[in-house]
Amino acid sequence: MAKDALVSDEMAKKFATEKETPYTRWVKSEGLDIIPAHYVPNLHTVELKPWARREARGVYLNHEASRTSNDCYVCEIPSGGKLPPHRQLFEEMILILDGRGSTTVWNDAGKRITFEWKAGALFAIPLNTWHQHFNGSGKEPARYVAVTNGPAIINMYEEPEFLFNTQHDFKNRFAGEPDYFSNKGEQKGLLLETNFVADAPNLPLISAKERGAGGGHIRFNMAKGSMNSHISQFPIGTYKKAHAHGPGAHVIILTGEGYSLMWPEGEEPRRYEWHIGSMIVPPAGWQHQHFNTGTTPSRYLAFKHEGVAVRNTQGVPKAWISKRVGGDQIDYADEKPIIRQLFAEALAKHGMQPRMDEAYQAELADLPPLAA
Ligand SMILES: [Fe+2]
């Protein structure tokens, strides 16, 4: 599924009028670019343009596969500055990339909460609440990356007056609870129930052997939203299993260095190098696989929306289930020799060797038999 599937210009012209959507028109009307990104080398330095509505600078990052599901933008608050109050009828999750500051959230009932953040903080804006971001530094800009489910909502309703100026409190999502944005949470299975993580790069994780190589994992569902996210970490000298899923996962590197391979079924893997601040957005249905080639554990944050996770009847994402039983994850035992060869070569450049034997052995215990 999901090869590039390019056709002639003549055929493409027949669909040209359908290529744009209310969402893409809206971004253009904001005066901003959309980077059609499968890969952004560095969110900390990606080029921004003036953004009049937000009195800041920004850029949208959105490619064809997630154009109708969820999107991503980077925004910079000038030093000593603030963004104007803002509300929107779609959800938003934010990772602070650089700087420090605070955010005030309030509703029409007059409940108001302010919380502080710095680089590495992760939180969500409750649906349709008023919110305002303040840069806490007079010297340095503050920069954040956000993922929203704006495309689906904007495509459906289109009118900015409705999207950005509807008076309604979703009280089950936010009612001004005093500890709403406190840095604490209850662990329920792999899910950490919280609306605020102060330091995502250093948050303790839970072991999750199903994704391979002794990895750590934790999942979030913030501000009672329909979008979710998770953090995944993998040790020195290891890599994760390849898997595929729906569009709209935005994978942001929090620590370490390495590379990812991505490929549509039946094609050769394409390689994307990464380090802190790189972003990978796997297209719908493409296999993708992440490799740690650095001298520290590697950790990433993946922003998603529910459409990413095709689930089986038990509610388990198929990206967590072996291809041998009909899932979308490739077991180590079934990967092509080139995968291991490329990894060993990349590590050798740092004078290191793969530490995968334990993971290969551990997999055998639960590996479903190959179909005859
Ligand atoms: Fe993935």
Side-chain angles (χ1 to χ4, degrees):
M1 153 179 186
K3 284 195 179 195
D4 279 347
L6 294 175
V7 297
S8 67
D9 286 351
E10 185 195 352
M11 183 169 167
K13 264 186 201 144
K14 294 179 183 173
F15 290 88
T17 49
E18 297 171 34
K19 190 178 170 210
E20 296 302 324
T21 64
Y23 169 73
T24 59
R25 284 196 290 270
W26 174 76
V27 175
K28 279 178 192 151
S29 74
E30 294 284 292
L32 297 182
D33 293 328
I34 298 179
I35 299 177
H38 296 169
Y39 165 65
V40 178
N42 195 341
L43 294 172
H44 297 275
T45 56
V46 69
E47 201 180 324
L48 311 177
K49 274 189 173 176
W51 189 358
R53 180 199 295 275
R54 305 302 296 266
E55 297 174 17
R57 289 163 11 99
V59 70
Y60 273 77
L61 312 160
N62 183 251
H63 66 76
E64 76 291 334
S66 52
R67 200 172 57 137
T68 52
S69 57
N70 57 344
D71 70 353
C72 175
Y73 73 89
V74 173
C75 182
E76 193 171 271
I77 314 167
S79 59
K82 60 187 185 215
L83 304 192
H86 184 74
R87 79 189 309 180
Q88 62 196 22
L89 273 174
F90 48 85
E91 298 170 3
E92 177 162 334
M93 294 194 75
I94 289 175
L95 171 72
I96 304 296
L97 293 168
D98 300 297
R100 61 184 174 83
S102 64
T103 295
T104 300
V105 171
W106 68 100
N107 61 12
D108 292 320
K111 300 283 189 193
R112 178 181 291 259
I113 292 180
T114 296
F115 58 98
E116 295 188 341
W117 42 254
K118 61 181 173 49
L122 174 66
F123 55 93
I125 304 296
L127 185 64
N128 205 38
T129 53
W130 285 105
H131 54 278
Q132 185 169 24
H133 302 305
F134 299 84
N135 187 340
S137 165
K139 292 186 182 143
E140 305 288 341
R143 180 180 277 230
Y144 68 84
V145 56
V147 168
T148 87
N149 59 0
I153 309 297
I154 294 169
N155 284 337
M156 188 173 287
Y157 297 111
E158 199 164 356
E159 263 181 48
E161 180 64 16
F162 177 69
L163 294 163
F164 301 111
N165 198 21
T166 289
Q167 205 175 45
H168 180 78
D169 289 338
F170 292 87
K171 294 192 192 69
N172 61 339
R173 298 214 187 189
F174 175 81
E177 297 85 343
D179 60 350
Y180 195 92
F181 291 104
S182 67
N183 185 34
K184 59 172 193 183
E186 195 180 335
Q187 197 72 45
K188 291 186 175 169
L190 286 172
L191 187 80
L192 178 66
E193 270 202 349
T194 187
N195 297 318
F196 181 80
V197 170
D199 186 9
N202 293 300
L203 182 71
L205 307 180
I206 296 166
S207 98
K209 68 183 169 83
E210 294 87 350
R211 306 310 288 276
H217 191 89
I218 203 159
R219 300 169 82 78
F220 311 100
N221 176 325
M222 292 183 170
K224 298 197 175 75
S226 66
M227 298 200 304
N228 51 42
S229 60
H230 71 259
I231 289 174
S232 207
Q233 179 167 305
F234 44 127
I236 298 167
T238 70
Y239 62 90
K240 294 172 67 82
K241 295 187 188 188
H243 66 268
H245 46 63
H250 293 72
V251 177
I252 299 164
I253 307 302
L254 297 177
T255 65
E257 62 179 297
Y259 65 93
S260 295
L261 297 178
M262 298 203 283
W263 66 96
E265 196 86 39
E267 290 193 11
E268 291 302 310
R270 302 170 198 186
R271 180 168 172 155
Y272 305 84
E273 307 293 331
W274 48 251
H275 49 75
I276 293 172
S278 300
M279 185 173 77
I280 312 276
V281 188
W286 283 33
Q287 287 291 336
H288 49 280
Q289 189 163 19
H290 309 302
F291 300 80
N292 181 359
T293 59
T295 54
T296 63
S298 287
R299 173 180 287 217
Y300 62 76
L301 167 70
F303 282 124
K304 294 180 169 178
H305 69 113
E306 181 56 25
V308 169
V310 178
R311 294 174 193 264
N312 73 1
T313 53
Q314 297 161 296
V316 180
K318 288 183 76 181
W320 285 59
I321 301 173
S322 170
K323 279 195 112 164
R324 292 188 178 202
V325 295
D328 293 322
Q329 180 161 263
I330 300 174
D331 294 299
Y332 292 129
D334 297 332
E335 64 196 7
K336 289 185 177 166
I338 185 77
I339 301 288
R340 297 184 187 191
Q341 191 188 322
L342 286 174
F343 187 53
E345 284 170 12
L347 284 174
K349 283 185 190 155
H350 294 92
M352 296 163 65
Q353 289 190 336
R355 299 185 190 175
M356 287 299 294
D357 286 341
E358 202 182 316
Y360 297 151
Q361 284 303 317
E363 178 186 81
L364 297 176
D366 298 321
L367 195 62
L370 265 179

